[in-house]
Amino acid sequence: MKRYIIAAITILAFAAGMVSCTDRKVIRQLNDVGSYINEHPDSALSVLDSLSTTGMQGREANAKFALLYSMALDKSYIDVTDDSLINIAVDWYRRHGTADERLKSYYYQGRIYQNAGDNEAAMESFVRAETASGNEKNTAKGLLYNAMSVIYIQIFDFVNAESYNAKAKECYLHAGDADKYAGAMLFSSDLHYAQDEYSEAIACLDSVKTLLDSISTTRKNAYYIQSMRIKKDQGDRAGLSDELNRYLSSTGAENISWLDVADYYTYLGEYEMSESALQQYRELHTEYKDEPAYHIVAYTLNASLGDYRAALDDYINYSLLSDSLSLVIAEQDTGFIQERYEKELQMEKERNTREFVTLVSVFSVILLSGTAYILRLRLRQSRREKEALAAEVSRYKENYSRLKQERDELSETLSSNPPVDRQCKTVLNDRLELLNRFFAAAISGNDETDRIASHELDRLVEDRDQFLYTTRMTFAAAHPEFISYLESKGLTENEIEYCCLYAIGLKGKEIGQYIKRACHYNESSDIRAKLGLGKHDTNLSNYLRDLLANISVKFS
């Protein structure tokens, strides 16, 4: 990696010793490179390397070379972490060149910081790039918004991630870049899927489906894999089988994701086809024995075939390889950095602006346009508020039903099989008393009683540790077989409390916001591993609720 930077800086050092006027011939050569760098970055990199034999003169040529070389490295998937080269372009284009060149210089500076794992510095560069580019909408601006969205995903801020991805989609659509637009739609589908929002995820896939004939093989692959994953989660075997056949018939063997294909064939009970897919994968990937994903798919197939010795070997290999990998996610106050730099740049704009007189002359037109815009916004807001109210009513009815079920189960447990442990009995009695008070208020319509019950319920929920503890104790009394099963899988008390939140109907996003733990993602991954859930198996919330229902039926 370092040799690329050294070679580039050597070229610029040579140029520094030359005369100061710009060599227009070299500028023309660099412009030619810029015309095909997106489609053929490897060829562009080769041509840029060859310029070391000619040298360059002038700061503009040096800056253009630095920007193009950084672009060629990034587009060739060569991850650079040294910012010394791109800073030459940033320093020049900060005051010279076009808005597009300023955007790209800051953007590729941010990409280098991302490669180095410094998301805070990367976001600072991206904010500067956004400000420097103005209101234009093109592919470069879409790449910028996509990079910002990725940073927000890494800190589990799904709201901002989707917001910036929406901006990226708008830029790609405006630029007519169907392939990158499809990529952004697939990213939206993944975001909704991660939050158990299946209908939204499917709607995004439907948009991509209309573009399948005009997008790259990589995007097509991502579309089919995501579509099949959702059909599997929803138990749509016929739909999964049809989609799998379409995928295999429309994609060359060398581009097919054979591990996913094997996993889906196993789910459908077509074990010979699954083994054939695994064989294809082994032929194309000679290092398959070192890949955890391969072993978990092979484990699922062997377990389904009843070959438990082979299944155990695969599971042991999977565990060993997975344990050797570590996922370190550092929470960064990226939002604060973005806000701070936006304010600083805005203040600088306000100090330097001299366009006030012009703005006054068109004020009346803006006022009329703004009034119409506000009216439209209010109409939309009114519709959204009605939809939100309907959703809230539905959620209240669902929560009321869940609380009633818990009250009834606790009453039956305390009357028919009271716990021996005094602390446990106290916890369950307190919980039952609170639930009875809540329902008494709801039935009687007594506002004062309702206020007191709601206050006590809020106080219990706000005390996260106490609420998690009492919820686990409640499940231990009402559903002891469920808790025993989780304990038999080696789950800790904290992990069992986490599972109880899923079992009472919360989603992964809601749990993450409630427990406010940086390790939320790791806990979910650890629980899935202990429960034997693979990467592409059903999501954790569905699994736990189905488990609770099945165990309750079995022991009722």
Side-chain angles (χ1 to χ4, degrees):
M1 186 72 57
K2 203 167 183 178
R3 66 188 179 89
Y4 290 104
I5 300 300
I6 294 173
I9 294 177
T10 300
I11 297 171
L12 297 180
F14 175 79
M18 305 296 287
V19 293
S20 59
C21 62
T22 301
D23 186 338
R24 291 299 167 188
K25 180 179 178 181
V26 175
I27 290 288
R28 286 195 296 273
Q29 287 180 295
L30 293 174
N31 286 336
D32 288 341
V33 171
S35 67
Y36 60 80
I37 193 170
N38 291 322
E39 291 76 20
H40 307 288
D42 51 345
S43 300
L45 190 59
S46 177
V47 172
L48 291 170
D49 281 331
S50 71
L51 289 177
S52 60
T53 61
T54 63
M56 279 171 291
Q57 303 169 17
R59 292 184 64 194
E60 181 182 356
N62 289 333
K64 186 175 287 291
F65 174 87
L67 177 58
L68 290 173
Y69 205 92
S70 298
M71 291 173 62
L73 290 172
D74 185 77
K75 293 180 182 296
S76 299
Y77 303 103
I78 299 173
D79 293 338
V80 176
T81 57
D82 185 344
D83 64 353
S84 55
L85 178 63
I86 190 60
N87 285 345
I88 296 171
V90 170
D91 290 342
W92 172 260
Y93 290 119
R94 183 181 289 119
R95 294 183 178 85
H96 306 86
T98 65
D100 185 63
E101 288 168 326
R102 278 192 292 279
L103 180 152
K104 289 177 179 177
S105 66
Y106 281 123
Y107 168 72
Y108 286 101
Q109 183 188 56
R111 292 285 297 121
I112 289 171
Y113 292 145
Q114 273 188 308
N115 294 338
D118 190 348
N119 282 342
E120 186 172 331
M123 184 59 82
E124 178 180 338
S125 296
F126 292 152
V127 171
R128 291 185 183 277
E130 182 183 17
T131 305
S133 64
N135 295 323
E136 58 191 78
K137 296 176 183 177
N138 53 31
T139 298
K141 192 76 169 283
L143 291 172
L144 169 65
Y145 286 137
N146 176 257
M148 297 171 82
S149 182
V150 168
I151 290 180
Y152 279 115
I153 277 292
Q154 291 174 341
I155 59 174
F156 305 108
D157 186 343
F158 292 103
V159 174
N160 274 316
E162 178 56 33
S163 174
Y164 279 97
N165 187 55
K167 293 181 179 181
K169 286 187 285 189
E170 187 178 0
C171 290
Y172 295 145
L173 195 61
H174 190 269
D177 194 328
D179 191 60
K180 286 187 171 58
Y181 175 76
M185 289 300 298
L186 289 168
F187 187 78
S188 286
S189 180
D190 284 335
L191 281 173
H192 290 304
Y193 176 80
Q195 300 172 82
D196 299 331
E197 298 169 352
Y198 288 107
S199 59
E200 292 86 348
I202 293 171
C204 293
L205 289 178
D206 288 341
S207 296
V208 177
K209 187 175 183 179
T210 63
L211 303 172
L212 287 180
D213 293 335
S214 58
I215 61 179
S216 64
T217 300
T218 301
R219 307 289 191 210
K220 290 179 182 177
N221 248 343
Y223 163 80
Y224 280 112
I225 296 303
Q226 177 73 334
S227 177
M228 290 186 288
R229 181 185 302 143
I230 291 176
K231 291 182 188 303
K232 178 185 174 184
D233 279 359
Q234 294 182 324
D236 183 3
R237 291 176 175 272
L240 172 58
S241 180
D242 291 342
E243 194 79 326
L244 185 54
N245 290 332
R246 280 192 290 270
Y247 175 46
L248 294 173
S249 63
S250 64
T251 309
E254 71 281 2
N255 295 315
I256 289 174
S257 178
W258 288 110
L259 280 186
D260 288 296
V261 170
D263 186 48
Y264 294 137
Y265 271 132
T266 299
Y267 173 75
L268 293 171
E270 300 182 33
Y271 303 130
E272 290 185 6
M273 298 298 291
S274 180
E275 177 54 43
S276 176
L278 280 180
Q279 180 59 34
Q280 288 272 18
Y281 184 81
R282 288 192 289 267
E283 292 174 359
L284 293 171
H285 302 82
T286 57
E287 302 297 324
Y288 69 90
K289 290 183 179 179
D290 298 327
E291 298 177 13
Y294 167 81
H295 288 290
I296 197 63
V297 174
Y299 157 76
T300 304
L301 173 59
N302 286 323
S304 299
L305 290 170
D307 189 349
Y308 299 114
R309 180 177 294 277
L312 179 60
D313 289 341
D314 280 312
Y315 188 78
I316 291 172
N317 287 327
Y318 166 75
S319 298
L320 291 173
L321 291 169
S322 296
D323 290 343
S324 68
L325 304 175
S326 60
L327 178 62
V328 179
I329 300 175
E331 278 196 317
Q332 301 175 355
D333 196 2
T334 309
F336 171 75
I337 292 296
Q338 181 181 1
E339 181 180 353
R340 177 161 60 88
Y341 277 94
E342 285 177 342
K343 288 182 178 178
E344 289 177 359
L345 292 168
Q346 183 63 29
M347 290 174 64
E348 182 179 347
K349 283 183 177 181
E350 290 174 354
R351 284 195 300 268
N352 297 328
T353 186
R354 298 185 181 279
E355 299 176 353
F356 180 75
V357 175
T358 305
L359 291 175
V360 171
S361 65
V362 296
F363 176 78
S364 58
V365 176
I366 294 175
L367 180 61
L368 290 173
S369 300
T371 302
Y373 178 73
I374 289 171
L375 287 174
R376 286 197 299 271
L377 279 181
R378 287 182 175 176
L379 287 173
R380 292 175 186 169
Q381 183 178 3
S382 176
R383 286 195 295 269
R384 285 196 296 268
E385 287 175 352
K386 289 180 179 177
E387 292 171 357
L389 180 60
E392 184 65 24
V393 170
S394 175
R395 184 175 178 82
Y396 175 83
K397 291 179 178 179
E398 182 180 355
N399 289 338
Y400 186 94
S401 176
R402 289 195 189 119
L403 288 174
K404 186 175 185 301
Q405 180 182 356
E406 180 182 350
R407 194 264 318 260
D408 295 340
E409 290 174 348
L410 275 179
S411 297
E412 181 180 354
T413 299
L414 287 171
S415 62
S416 61
N417 188 24
V420 177
D421 181 73
R422 176 183 241 172
Q423 183 179 3
C424 179
K425 186 173 183 179
T426 300
V427 168
L428 298 183
N429 276 322
D430 290 345
R431 186 89 166 221
L432 181 59
E433 181 180 353
L434 177 58
L435 292 173
N436 283 332
R437 187 176 300 174
F438 180 84
F439 285 104
I443 294 170
S444 66
N446 188 317
D447 292 340
E448 180 63 16
T449 305
D450 181 72
R451 185 183 62 79
I452 295 173
S454 297
H455 176 72
E456 290 187 13
L457 195 59
D458 290 341
R459 182 168 53 81
L460 174 61
V461 173
E462 286 173 1
D463 187 346
R464 285 192 295 276
D465 292 338
Q466 179 65 14
F467 180 75
L468 290 170
Y469 170 72
T470 59
T471 300
R472 176 167 56 84
M473 296 296 289
T474 301
F475 269 81
H479 305 284
E481 297 83 8
F482 177 74
I483 299 299
S484 296
Y485 179 85
L486 297 180
E487 290 174 343
S488 71
K489 293 296 183 179
L491 271 67
T492 65
E493 288 186 355
N494 286 339
E495 290 170 339
I496 290 175
E497 290 171 352
Y498 188 93
C499 291
C500 289
L501 293 181
Y502 268 124
I504 65 175
L506 293 180
K507 296 180 180 179
K509 178 175 67 173
E510 295 167 336
I511 294 174
Q513 292 171 346
Y514 177 67
I515 64 177
K516 291 182 171 61
R517 292 179 188 163
C519 57
H520 161 62
Y521 177 85
N522 291 340
E523 285 184 2
S524 178
S525 299
D526 291 343
I527 292 170
R528 291 181 67 88
K530 290 180 180 180
L531 293 175
L533 294 178
K535 178 182 177 182
H536 302 304
D537 290 334
T538 184
N539 61 59
L540 189 56
S541 59
N542 287 348
Y543 176 85
L544 288 169
R545 285 195 283 273
D546 290 343
L547 176 65
L548 177 62
N550 292 336
I551 287 178
S552 298
V553 171
K554 181 177 180 181
F555 289 92
S556 61

Short mmCIF file of all heavy atoms in Angstrom, two decimals, residues 479-508:
data_model
loop_
_atom_site.label_atom_id
_atom_site.label_comp_id
_atom_site.label_asym_id
_atom_site.label_seq_id
_atom_site.Cartn_x
_atom_site.Cartn_y
_atom_site.Cartn_z
N HIS A 479 -43.46 -19.00 32.58
CA HIS A 479 -42.98 -19.87 31.50
C HIS A 479 -41.64 -20.47 31.89
O HIS A 479 -40.60 -20.18 31.27
CB HIS A 479 -42.83 -19.07 30.20
CG HIS A 479 -44.08 -18.36 29.78
ND1 HIS A 479 -45.17 -19.01 29.21
CD2 HIS A 479 -44.42 -17.03 29.87
CE1 HIS A 479 -46.12 -18.12 28.96
NE2 HIS A 479 -45.69 -16.92 29.35
N PRO A 480 -41.58 -21.30 32.92
CA PRO A 480 -40.30 -21.83 33.39
C PRO A 480 -39.59 -22.67 32.33
O PRO A 480 -38.36 -22.69 32.29
CB PRO A 480 -40.69 -22.68 34.61
CG PRO A 480 -42.15 -22.99 34.41
CD PRO A 480 -42.73 -21.80 33.72
N GLU A 481 -40.36 -23.36 31.48
CA GLU A 481 -39.72 -24.19 30.45
C GLU A 481 -38.96 -23.32 29.45
O GLU A 481 -37.89 -23.70 28.96
CB GLU A 481 -40.77 -25.03 29.71
CG GLU A 481 -41.52 -26.02 30.60
CD GLU A 481 -42.68 -25.35 31.34
OE1 GLU A 481 -42.97 -24.18 31.05
OE2 GLU A 481 -43.28 -26.01 32.22
N PHE A 482 -39.50 -22.14 29.14
CA PHE A 482 -38.84 -21.21 28.22
C PHE A 482 -37.50 -20.75 28.80
O PHE A 482 -36.46 -20.77 28.12
CB PHE A 482 -39.77 -20.00 27.99
CG PHE A 482 -39.19 -18.93 27.12
CD1 PHE A 482 -39.08 -19.11 25.75
CD2 PHE A 482 -38.77 -17.72 27.67
CE1 PHE A 482 -38.56 -18.12 24.94
CE2 PHE A 482 -38.25 -16.72 26.87
CZ PHE A 482 -38.14 -16.93 25.51
N ILE A 483 -37.49 -20.36 30.07
CA ILE A 483 -36.26 -19.91 30.71
C ILE A 483 -35.27 -21.08 30.82
O ILE A 483 -34.06 -20.91 30.58
CB ILE A 483 -36.54 -19.33 32.11
CG1 ILE A 483 -37.50 -18.12 32.00
CG2 ILE A 483 -35.26 -18.91 32.80
CD1 ILE A 483 -36.94 -16.97 31.19
N SER A 484 -35.75 -22.26 31.16
CA SER A 484 -34.87 -23.43 31.29
C SER A 484 -34.20 -23.75 29.96
O SER A 484 -33.02 -24.10 29.91
CB SER A 484 -35.67 -24.64 31.77
OG SER A 484 -36.18 -24.43 33.08
N TYR A 485 -34.96 -23.62 28.89
CA TYR A 485 -34.39 -23.90 27.56
C TYR A 485 -33.26 -22.92 27.24
O TYR A 485 -32.20 -23.32 26.75
CB TYR A 485 -35.48 -23.80 26.50
CG TYR A 485 -34.97 -24.05 25.09
CD1 TYR A 485 -34.85 -25.34 24.59
CD2 TYR A 485 -34.60 -22.99 24.27
CE1 TYR A 485 -34.37 -25.58 23.31
CE2 TYR A 485 -34.12 -23.21 22.99
CZ TYR A 485 -34.01 -24.51 22.53
OH TYR A 485 -33.53 -24.73 21.26
N LEU A 486 -33.48 -21.62 27.53
CA LEU A 486 -32.44 -20.62 27.26
C LEU A 486 -31.20 -20.88 28.11
O LEU A 486 -30.06 -20.75 27.65
CB LEU A 486 -32.98 -19.21 27.52
CG LEU A 486 -34.14 -18.76 26.63
CD1 LEU A 486 -34.58 -17.35 27.00
CD2 LEU A 486 -33.76 -18.82 25.16
N GLU A 487 -31.42 -21.27 29.39
CA GLU A 487 -30.29 -21.57 30.27
C GLU A 487 -29.51 -22.79 29.77
O GLU A 487 -28.29 -22.84 29.87
CB GLU A 487 -30.79 -21.82 31.69
CG GLU A 487 -31.31 -20.54 32.38
CD GLU A 487 -31.94 -20.82 33.74
OE1 GLU A 487 -32.27 -22.00 34.01
OE2 GLU A 487 -32.08 -19.87 34.51
N SER A 488 -30.23 -23.76 29.21
CA SER A 488 -29.56 -24.97 28.71
C SER A 488 -28.67 -24.67 27.51
O SER A 488 -27.77 -25.44 27.19
CB SER A 488 -30.60 -26.03 28.32
OG SER A 488 -31.30 -25.65 27.13
N LYS A 489 -28.93 -23.56 26.82
CA LYS A 489 -28.12 -23.16 25.68
C LYS A 489 -26.92 -22.31 26.10
O LYS A 489 -26.18 -21.80 25.24
CB LYS A 489 -28.97 -22.37 24.66
CG LYS A 489 -30.05 -23.21 23.99
CD LYS A 489 -29.44 -24.33 23.16
CE LYS A 489 -30.51 -25.13 22.43
NZ LYS A 489 -29.91 -26.20 21.60
N GLY A 490 -26.76 -22.11 27.40
CA GLY A 490 -25.60 -21.36 27.90
C GLY A 490 -25.78 -19.86 27.93
O GLY A 490 -24.80 -19.12 28.05
N LEU A 491 -27.03 -19.35 27.83
CA LEU A 491 -27.26 -17.91 27.85
C LEU A 491 -27.07 -17.38 29.28
O LEU A 491 -27.47 -18.01 30.25
CB LEU A 491 -28.68 -17.56 27.37
CG LEU A 491 -28.83 -17.32 25.86
CD1 LEU A 491 -28.59 -18.64 25.10
CD2 LEU A 491 -30.20 -16.76 25.53
N THR A 492 -26.46 -16.20 29.39
CA THR A 492 -26.29 -15.55 30.68
C THR A 492 -27.59 -14.90 31.11
O THR A 492 -28.55 -14.81 30.33
CB THR A 492 -25.19 -14.48 30.61
OG1 THR A 492 -25.64 -13.44 29.71
CG2 THR A 492 -23.88 -15.07 30.10
N GLU A 493 -27.65 -14.42 32.38
CA GLU A 493 -28.86 -13.76 32.86
C GLU A 493 -29.16 -12.52 32.02
O GLU A 493 -30.32 -12.25 31.70
CB GLU A 493 -28.69 -13.37 34.33
CG GLU A 493 -28.73 -14.56 35.27
CD GLU A 493 -28.72 -14.15 36.75
OE1 GLU A 493 -28.60 -12.93 37.03
OE2 GLU A 493 -28.86 -15.03 37.58
N ASN A 494 -28.11 -11.74 31.69
CA ASN A 494 -28.33 -10.54 30.87
C ASN A 494 -28.90 -10.91 29.50
O ASN A 494 -29.80 -10.25 28.97
CB ASN A 494 -27.02 -9.77 30.68
CG ASN A 494 -26.62 -9.03 31.94
OD1 ASN A 494 -27.45 -8.75 32.80
ND2 ASN A 494 -25.35 -8.69 32.06
N GLU A 495 -28.37 -12.00 28.92
CA GLU A 495 -28.86 -12.42 27.60
C GLU A 495 -30.29 -12.95 27.68
O GLU A 495 -31.08 -12.74 26.76
CB GLU A 495 -27.92 -13.49 27.03
CG GLU A 495 -26.55 -12.93 26.63
CD GLU A 495 -25.55 -14.02 26.28
OE1 GLU A 495 -25.75 -15.17 26.71
OE2 GLU A 495 -24.56 -13.72 25.60
N ILE A 496 -30.63 -13.62 28.78
CA ILE A 496 -32.01 -14.10 28.95
C ILE A 496 -32.96 -12.91 29.09
O ILE A 496 -34.07 -12.91 28.53
CB ILE A 496 -32.09 -15.03 30.18
CG1 ILE A 496 -31.35 -16.35 29.88
CG2 ILE A 496 -33.55 -15.31 30.55
CD1 ILE A 496 -31.27 -17.29 31.06
N GLU A 497 -32.54 -11.87 29.83
CA GLU A 497 -33.37 -10.66 29.95
C GLU A 497 -33.58 -10.03 28.58
O GLU A 497 -34.68 -9.56 28.24
CB GLU A 497 -32.69 -9.67 30.90
CG GLU A 497 -32.69 -10.13 32.35
CD GLU A 497 -31.84 -9.27 33.25
OE1 GLU A 497 -31.11 -8.39 32.74
OE2 GLU A 497 -31.88 -9.47 34.47
N TYR A 498 -32.54 -10.02 27.77
CA TYR A 498 -32.61 -9.50 26.40
C TYR A 498 -33.65 -10.29 25.60
O TYR A 498 -34.46 -9.72 24.87
CB TYR A 498 -31.21 -9.64 25.80
CG TYR A 498 -31.00 -9.01 24.47
CD1 TYR A 498 -30.49 -7.72 24.35
CD2 TYR A 498 -31.24 -9.72 23.29
CE1 TYR A 498 -30.25 -7.16 23.11
CE2 TYR A 498 -31.01 -9.17 22.06
CZ TYR A 498 -30.52 -7.89 21.97
OH TYR A 498 -30.28 -7.34 20.75
N CYS A 499 -33.63 -11.64 25.75
CA CYS A 499 -34.58 -12.50 25.03
C CYS A 499 -36.02 -12.25 25.50
O CYS A 499 -36.96 -12.32 24.71
CB CYS A 499 -34.22 -13.97 25.24
SG CYS A 499 -32.68 -14.46 24.42
N CYS A 500 -36.18 -11.97 26.81
CA CYS A 500 -37.53 -11.71 27.34
C CYS A 500 -38.14 -10.46 26.70
O CYS A 500 -39.34 -10.39 26.47
CB CYS A 500 -37.47 -11.56 28.86
SG CYS A 500 -37.16 -13.12 29.72
N LEU A 501 -37.30 -9.44 26.43
CA LEU A 501 -37.81 -8.23 25.77
C LEU A 501 -38.33 -8.56 24.37
O LEU A 501 -39.34 -8.04 23.94
CB LEU A 501 -36.70 -7.17 25.70
CG LEU A 501 -36.23 -6.59 27.03
CD1 LEU A 501 -35.15 -5.56 26.80
CD2 LEU A 501 -37.39 -5.97 27.80
N TYR A 502 -37.61 -9.43 23.65
CA TYR A 502 -38.11 -9.88 22.35
C TYR A 502 -39.43 -10.63 22.52
O TYR A 502 -40.38 -10.46 21.74
CB TYR A 502 -37.10 -10.81 21.68
CG TYR A 502 -36.12 -10.13 20.78
CD1 TYR A 502 -34.75 -10.25 20.96
CD2 TYR A 502 -36.56 -9.35 19.69
CE1 TYR A 502 -33.85 -9.63 20.12
CE2 TYR A 502 -35.67 -8.73 18.85
CZ TYR A 502 -34.30 -8.87 19.06
OH TYR A 502 -33.43 -8.26 18.22
N ALA A 503 -39.50 -11.48 23.56
CA ALA A 503 -40.67 -12.33 23.74
C ALA A 503 -41.93 -11.54 24.08
O ALA A 503 -43.04 -11.97 23.78
CB ALA A 503 -40.39 -13.36 24.85
N ILE A 504 -41.77 -10.34 24.71
CA ILE A 504 -42.96 -9.55 25.03
C ILE A 504 -43.39 -8.67 23.86
O ILE A 504 -44.32 -7.88 23.99
CB ILE A 504 -42.74 -8.68 26.29
CG1 ILE A 504 -41.66 -7.61 26.06
CG2 ILE A 504 -42.42 -9.52 27.50
CD1 ILE A 504 -41.47 -6.65 27.22
N GLY A 505 -42.66 -8.78 22.72
CA GLY A 505 -43.13 -8.13 21.51
C GLY A 505 -42.31 -6.96 21.01
O GLY A 505 -42.68 -6.33 20.02
N LEU A 506 -41.18 -6.65 21.68
CA LEU A 506 -40.35 -5.53 21.21
C LEU A 506 -39.53 -5.95 20.00
O LEU A 506 -39.20 -7.12 19.82
CB LEU A 506 -39.42 -5.06 22.33
CG LEU A 506 -40.08 -4.43 23.55
CD1 LEU A 506 -39.03 -4.02 24.57
CD2 LEU A 506 -40.93 -3.22 23.17
N LYS A 507 -39.16 -4.97 19.17
CA LYS A 507 -38.32 -5.21 18.02
C LYS A 507 -36.87 -4.88 18.37
O LYS A 507 -36.59 -4.21 19.37
CB LYS A 507 -38.76 -4.35 16.82
CG LYS A 507 -40.16 -4.70 16.31
CD LYS A 507 -40.52 -3.82 15.13
CE LYS A 507 -41.93 -4.15 14.60
NZ LYS A 507 -42.30 -3.28 13.47
N GLY A 508 -35.94 -5.34 17.50
CA GLY A 508 -34.53 -5.12 17.78
C GLY A 508 -34.18 -3.65 17.92
O GLY A 508 -33.42 -3.26 18.81
#
